[in-house]
Amino acid sequence: MNQRTERIKSLREKGVRVLFRIDGTQLHENPQLKGERFKRIHWNCPFRWSTITDEEFIQVIVGVFRSCAKVQLSGDRIHITLIQRLDDDDWKDCRQYVHNIVRGSVQSGYKLIRKRRFGKDRYPGYQHRKGDDLEELHLAAVHREFIFEKDHSFCNPKSEEEIVNSLPLKISNPEKTYVIDVNKKNVTGSSKIRLEDCYFVCSTDDDSSDYYSSD
């Protein structure tokens, strides 16, 4: 019995329902999940699989947020962890562009409430792997966990144009600073700023990922 099988067996023995081949963009349409509500949805380090292009993958997180919005209520949360390679320019925000995380969250009514460290220092034994690969990936990188709360009052009735025209847009939080801003390097000449060009600036990048009492 390999390590993966052992873990699945252990989870099931503890009463955890383990399902496979769940399309995160179609949670609301999946018959196995019919009528379910999910207060917390976690997705760690999404990878582009070989059957789709980079351009198609950009829309995946947008689709995940859209689907989650149909199985969550106000106050429910989505946790998404992104790997941020240290050898990339603008490493603190580059993966946000690749995954289109600003557009995905804003369009579906989710407000960023935290962004913090994730990885082996917080979860000893954690290994960063592609979903279909047993080998750990060794990269010069850090992980950051983005936590979004469903809150339609944050973005509605704001249109994309209103948000872009308000940049940098501060997200209300009495203790931490969260801002939606744009990387001017992504905008050339007189081209129009899009949500795809935006990223989250956070004062919590190096906070521990300990769960707060409200979690």
Side-chain angles (χ1 to χ4, degrees), residues 7-201:
R7 287 175 176 172
I8 294 169
K9 181 175 181 290
S10 175
L11 287 170
R12 284 177 168 160
E13 288 174 348
K14 291 178 171 61
V16 177
R17 182 165 58 137
V18 181
L19 303 175
F20 297 95
R21 298 187 180 279
I22 302 296
D23 184 345
T25 66
Q26 298 296 320
L27 298 175
H28 59 295
E29 299 286 356
N30 192 311
Q32 298 180 86
L33 307 177
K34 186 176 181 180
E36 301 253 13
R37 171 200 174 189
F38 298 94
K39 293 183 179 180
R40 300 289 184 271
I41 295 175
H42 293 250
W43 191 10
N44 284 347
C45 303
F47 275 95
R48 177 179 72 80
W49 46 100
S50 59
T51 55
I52 69 170
T53 65
D54 286 334
E55 290 72 23
E56 291 172 320
F57 187 59
I58 285 175
Q59 299 306 317
V60 170
I61 281 189
V62 175
V64 168
F65 274 106
R66 188 181 299 123
S67 184
C68 289
K70 297 180 180 180
V71 296
Q72 291 192 309
L73 301 178
S74 180
D76 292 345
R77 295 178 182 176
I78 298 175
H79 296 237
I80 295 180
T81 301
L82 297 182
I83 186 171
Q84 299 179 157
R85 295 185 59 141
L86 297 174
D87 55 0
D88 282 331
D89 291 336
D90 307 314
W91 65 269
K92 285 191 175 182
D93 48 290
C94 63
R95 304 310 297 175
Q96 298 186 49
Y97 307 139
V98 172
H99 292 88
N100 215 354
I101 197 168
V102 172
R103 176 178 290 284
S105 58
V106 167
Q107 284 189 335
S108 293
Y110 285 88
K111 177 175 69 175
L112 183 72
I113 60 170
R114 294 185 191 115
K115 179 174 176 242
R116 55 200 185 184
R117 285 187 289 114
F118 180 93
K120 290 184 178 182
D121 56 341
R122 175 65 183 96
Y123 302 100
Y126 171 79
Q127 293 186 354
H128 183 62
R129 304 176 182 177
K130 292 186 179 181
D132 59 353
D133 196 335
L134 292 177
E135 296 298 322
E136 182 178 7
L137 289 176
H138 296 281
L139 301 171
V142 295
H143 301 74
R144 290 296 181 268
E145 181 184 33
F146 297 75
I147 304 176
F148 298 90
E149 188 169 271
K150 190 174 182 182
D151 179 5
H152 280 290
S153 66
F154 163 62
C155 62
N156 290 334
K158 290 186 178 70
S159 65
E160 176 175 351
E161 184 176 4
E162 287 177 301
I163 292 172
V164 168
N165 288 340
S166 300
L167 295 176
L169 177 63
K170 185 174 182 179
I171 303 171
S172 178
N173 187 307
E175 299 177 356
K176 304 291 184 179
T177 301
Y178 305 97
V179 176
I180 297 176
D181 207 348
V182 62
N183 188 333
K184 300 298 175 58
K185 294 179 182 178
N186 287 359
V187 183
T188 58
S190 59
S191 58
K192 185 177 180 181
I193 296 174
R194 308 164 303 158
L195 289 180
E196 286 90 337
D197 303 314
C198 298
Y199 64 100
F200 293 108
V201 182

